[in-house]
């Protein structure tokens, strides 16, 4: 800042000189605290309305220094600093613009202030600065922070940001991409609107060619995010299934294989012949070997399970996997990973897919203990696991009478146990009889009247509907609307 007051070719205002002095004094932390206690933050934010570039530069530098502390950042938010910074980006004064971006970068760590940046129109403004090599790094960092928030991801599709990023990726050639660049691309690829823009033209082909040639894990992570979106974007991956399947081998690094498997697992495309892919690239032995507990890192094993769930949607693939002895391997893995909800949910989903097909349904029901494991998981604490288990068991019960009775009995025993536990836990009166109503006058059963239980009302004959109201058909049994009440 001393350079600001020593330049002979510039006329520096008195306020700018005063701020330079305070800024230099603030190098001492105790002095900085004293200055801060004099409400310096609000004064500096007010100065951002001035037109004096030298004064603005000093004020921004001071705010940038102060912004690393939470209390100062909160004061800046209260003084609407982002709204005042919006007019300074972009600007012709290079040092002023750089300092403003540095201050915005510090402020962008705050979720609320990121929202202010978007609302004040800074997103397209900062995106336009990607074309300026001198401001590119700072701009990408700010944009990365904004892209972390799912609320703002889709807004990038309406700016010049994505085309600029794709040009930068292409310009990297075989060199390693900057972390800021690929991180921003990965975040943006998670949004369907952005994915459509990224894949326009030869975008996906360029990304795929580069990632496969360089074995770029982060590049493949971006591609994996692109593959999760349904519609035209996912269809584009049909041309690259073979290239991805060829990477699934023991010779490749696990991190890279994980991303390739994850990408393939996302390709739930009806026209994709998974049976041909499994045969041509001999993937079944690889998938089966990776299911053995301890054979690989958990992340890789989980992706294998998810991949099996995807290919099991195909009838011939499900039969092929069942004949290979893969179901017992899944049950063994379920035992080993029973504390991991993600593993359990994905394995149960594989069973769910396989019971749809007659060939694999017979194997699941008659040749394995999978239904018994599903019954045990029927009342798991995880809602998603319960949901998939119930859906799978409903199909099994419909298909196999013996298992249907076991499932029905288990459901009855569980609900009966819940009822008995509730009754046992009711408070007692002085005579040892259970209270029907609590101390506050409410029912001791779920805060409802004992008789207000629509699920206990008869509904099969049309007397009561599911919500406990009398159905119109009930009245037709009585002539002239006489409900048969006894006269007094």
């Amino acid at each position: 800042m001393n350079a600001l007051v020593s330049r002979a070719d510039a006329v520096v205002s008195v306020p700018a000189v005063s701020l330079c002095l305070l800024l230099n004094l603030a190098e001492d932390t105790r002095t900085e605290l004293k200055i801060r206690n004099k409400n310096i933050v609000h004064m500096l934010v007010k100065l951002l309305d001035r037109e004096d570039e030298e004064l603005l530069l000093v004020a921004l530098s001071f705010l940038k220094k102060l912004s690393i502390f939470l209390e100062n950042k909160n004061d800046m938010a209260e003084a609407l600093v982002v709204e005042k910074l919006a007019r300074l980006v972009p600007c012709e004064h290079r040092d002023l613009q750089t300092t403003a971006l540095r201050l915005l970068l510090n402020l962008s760590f705050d979720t609320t202030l990121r929202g202010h940046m978007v609302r004040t129109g800074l997103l397209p403004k900062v995106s336009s600065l990607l074309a300026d090599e001198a401001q590119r790094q700072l701009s990408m960092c700010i944009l990365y922070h904004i892209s972390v928030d799912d609320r703002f991801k889709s807004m990038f599709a309406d700016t010049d940001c994505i085309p600029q990023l794709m040009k930068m990726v292409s310009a990297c050639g075989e060199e390693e991409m900057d972390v800021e660049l690929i991180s921003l691309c990965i975040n943006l690829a998670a949004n369907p609107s952005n994915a459509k823009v990224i894949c326009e033209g030869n975008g996906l082909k360029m990304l795929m060619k580069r990632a496969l040639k360089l074995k770029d894990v982060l590049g493949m992570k971006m591609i994996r995010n692109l593959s999760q979106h349904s519609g035209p974007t996912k269809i584009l991956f049909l041309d690259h299934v073979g290239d991805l399947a060829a990477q699934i081998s023991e010779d490749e690094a696990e991190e890279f294989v994980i991303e390739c498997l994850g990408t393939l697992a996302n390709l739930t495309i009806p026209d994709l012949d998974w049976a041909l892919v499994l045969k041509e690239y001999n993937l079944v032995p690889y998938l089966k070997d990776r299911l053995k507990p301890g054979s690989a890192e958990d992340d890789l094993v989980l992706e294998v399970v998810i991949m099996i769930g995807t290919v099991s949607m195909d009838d011939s693939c499900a039969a092929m996997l069942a004949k290979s002895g893969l179901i017992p391997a899944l049950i063994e893995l379920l035992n080993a990973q029973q504390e991991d909800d993600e593993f359990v949910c994905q394995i149960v989903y594989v069973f769910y897919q396989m019971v749809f097909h007659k060939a694999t349904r017979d194997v699941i029901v008659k040749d394995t203990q999978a239904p018994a494991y599903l019954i045990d998981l029927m009342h798991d604490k995880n809602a998603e696991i319960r949901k998939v288990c119930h859906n799978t068991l409903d199909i099994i019960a419909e298909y196999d009478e013996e298992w249907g009775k076991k499932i029905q009995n288990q459901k009855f025993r569980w609900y009966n146990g819940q009822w008995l536990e509730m009754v046992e836990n009711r408070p007692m009166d002085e005579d040892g009889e259970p209270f029907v109503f609590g101390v506050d006058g409410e029912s001791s059963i779920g805060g409802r009247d004992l008789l207000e239980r629509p699920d206990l009302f008869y509904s099969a004959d049309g007397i009561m509907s599911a919500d406990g109201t009398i159905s119109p058909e009930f009245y037709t049994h009585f002539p002239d609307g006489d409900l048969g009440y006894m006269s007094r």
Side-chain angles (χ1 to χ4, degrees):
M1 283 307 126
N2 290 331
L4 290 172
V5 296
S6 62
R7 285 168 53 185
D9 59 339
V11 178
V12 184
S13 64
V14 173
V17 176
S18 302
L19 280 183
C20 282
L21 177 59
L22 289 172
L23 182 55
N24 289 338
L25 291 173
E27 292 298 324
D28 178 75
T29 54
R30 290 175 299 178
T31 306
E32 181 180 349
L33 181 59
K34 291 179 181 179
I35 295 173
R36 190 261 172 195
N37 290 337
K38 296 294 184 181
N39 203 27
I40 188 68
V41 172
H42 284 80
M43 285 188 256
L44 289 171
V45 173
K46 285 182 180 180
L47 289 175
L48 297 182
D49 292 326
R50 301 287 188 89
E51 298 297 331
D52 185 342
E53 292 182 343
E54 299 295 345
L55 178 61
L56 287 170
L57 182 56
V58 183
L60 287 172
S61 299
F62 210 152
L63 285 169
K64 179 175 71 71
K65 183 182 190 316
L66 295 171
S67 65
I68 63 174
F69 296 103
L70 179 64
E71 297 82 4
N72 296 335
K73 183 264 297 177
N74 290 339
D75 287 347
M76 292 179 200
E78 184 181 320
L80 304 177
V81 66
V82 173
E83 286 76 356
K84 295 182 182 293
L85 285 171
R87 77 179 187 89
L88 301 176
V89 179
C91 68
E92 295 181 0
H93 194 296
R94 186 167 292 276
D95 291 337
L96 188 60
Q97 182 170 271
T98 301
T99 309
L101 288 176
R102 290 186 183 279
L103 174 56
L104 282 172
L105 177 58
N106 286 357
L107 298 175
S108 66
F109 284 90
D110 183 272
T111 305
T112 304
L113 291 176
R114 289 201 296 268
H116 291 177
M117 292 177 194
V118 173
R119 284 193 291 273
T120 55
L122 276 167
L123 181 55
K125 291 182 178 181
V126 177
S127 297
S128 67
L129 294 176
L130 291 173
D132 185 350
E133 191 172 350
Q135 311 295 344
R136 184 175 296 164
Q137 195 78 3
L138 284 170
S139 301
M140 276 197 295
C141 291
I142 296 169
L143 292 171
Y144 170 77
H145 285 167
I146 295 175
S147 72
V148 170
D149 198 319
D150 289 335
R151 295 175 299 166
F152 309 133
K153 279 188 172 75
S154 62
M155 298 181 182
F156 282 83
D158 300 323
T159 70
D160 192 41
C161 179
I162 295 175
Q164 291 282 355
L165 294 176
M166 294 300 288
K167 288 179 183 178
M168 283 185 258
V169 172
S170 179
C172 288
E174 296 185 7
E175 297 179 4
E176 185 176 355
M177 280 188 281
D178 291 337
V179 175
E180 294 83 3
L181 173 58
I182 187 59
S183 300
L184 177 55
C185 289
I186 290 171
N187 281 357
L188 295 181
N191 179 268
S193 300
N194 296 333
K196 185 178 179 181
V197 179
I198 291 171
C199 294
E200 283 179 352
N202 292 321
L204 178 59
K205 185 177 181 180
M206 182 269 290
L207 291 172
M208 189 71 71
K209 182 178 179 180
R210 187 182 187 282
L212 294 175
K213 184 176 182 179
L214 302 178
K215 308 298 180 184
D216 184 0
V217 176
L218 293 179
M220 188 56 67
K221 190 181 290 289
M222 178 185 177
I223 293 170
R224 179 180 177 180
N225 280 354
L226 293 171
S227 68
Q228 68 184 333
H229 307 298
S230 57
T233 302
K234 187 169 290 190
I235 300 300
L236 294 174
F237 280 84
L238 282 172
D239 296 333
H240 306 286
V241 172
D243 295 329
L244 290 168
Q247 310 304 312
I248 313 302
S249 70
E250 297 178 359
D251 299 331
E252 300 292 345
E254 276 196 3
E255 294 84 357
F256 189 68
V257 173
I258 286 172
E259 301 304 329
C260 292
L261 273 172
T263 304
L264 286 170
N266 284 336
L267 303 183
T268 51
I269 305 173
D271 296 334
L272 181 53
D273 188 347
W274 279 115
L276 180 62
V277 174
L278 293 182
K279 290 177 182 176
E280 186 171 344
Y281 295 94
N282 196 30
L283 293 181
V284 175
Y286 178 90
L287 297 176
K288 184 179 177 182
D289 289 343
R290 290 299 172 273
L291 291 179
K292 297 175 183 177
S295 63
E297 292 294 329
D298 284 354
D299 289 343
L300 178 58
V301 178
L302 180 60
E303 293 302 330
V304 167
V305 175
I306 296 172
M307 174 73 175
I308 293 170
T310 297
V311 302
S312 295
M313 297 171 68
D314 182 88
D315 195 348
S316 56
C317 276
M320 186 190 306
L321 294 173
K323 289 178 182 177
S324 70
L326 186 138
I327 296 174
L330 283 171
I331 294 176
E332 184 181 355
L333 180 63
L334 181 61
N335 281 326
Q337 299 286 355
Q338 56 186 310
E339 299 300 323
D340 191 317
D341 283 358
E342 183 66 21
F343 263 102
V344 173
C345 192
Q346 294 297 341
I347 293 172
V348 172
Y349 179 73
V350 174
F351 294 153
Y352 173 72
Q353 289 292 350
M354 287 193 169
V355 296
F356 268 111
H357 314 297
K358 184 176 180 181
T360 51
R361 189 188 303 138
D362 288 335
V363 176
I364 289 278
V365 175
K366 298 179 179 179
D367 299 339
T368 73
Q369 288 299 309
Y373 283 95
L374 291 171
I375 289 175
D376 289 340
L377 293 168
M378 191 164 49
H379 306 295
D380 192 88
K381 61 183 180 181
N382 186 292
E384 286 299 317
I385 294 176
R386 292 199 305 270
K387 180 180 177 181
V388 180
C389 275
H390 277 286
N391 292 339
T392 309
L393 288 171
D394 286 345
I395 297 173
I396 293 174
E398 185 178 344
Y399 168 75
D400 188 277
E401 184 177 349
E402 182 180 350
W403 273 113
K405 291 179 179 178
K406 291 180 181 178
I407 293 166
Q408 187 178 23
N409 288 337
Q410 181 60 30
K411 287 183 177 181
F412 171 79
R413 291 169 66 182
W414 187 84
Y415 286 119
N416 194 45
Q418 292 291 101
W419 171 261
L420 292 174
E421 182 181 351
M422 180 188 65
V423 172
E424 290 173 0
N425 291 335
R426 280 193 295 173
M428 300 291 183
D429 61 15
E430 294 179 357
D431 298 327
E433 294 295 328
F435 280 118
V436 175
F437 296 95
V439 179
D440 56 359
E442 291 188 1
S443 168
S444 61
I445 302 179
R448 295 185 298 172
D449 191 295
L450 279 169
L451 299 180
E452 291 182 359
R453 292 286 303 277
D455 53 319
L456 299 180
F457 297 160
Y458 291 101
S459 60
D461 57 359
I463 295 176
M464 291 291 183
S465 63
D467 61 357
T469 58
I470 299 177
S471 64
E473 290 80 3
F474 177 73
Y475 295 98
T476 61
H477 299 291
F478 299 93
D480 300 325
D482 182 11
L483 296 181
Y485 291 118
M486 292 179 63
S487 60
R488 295 186 180 182

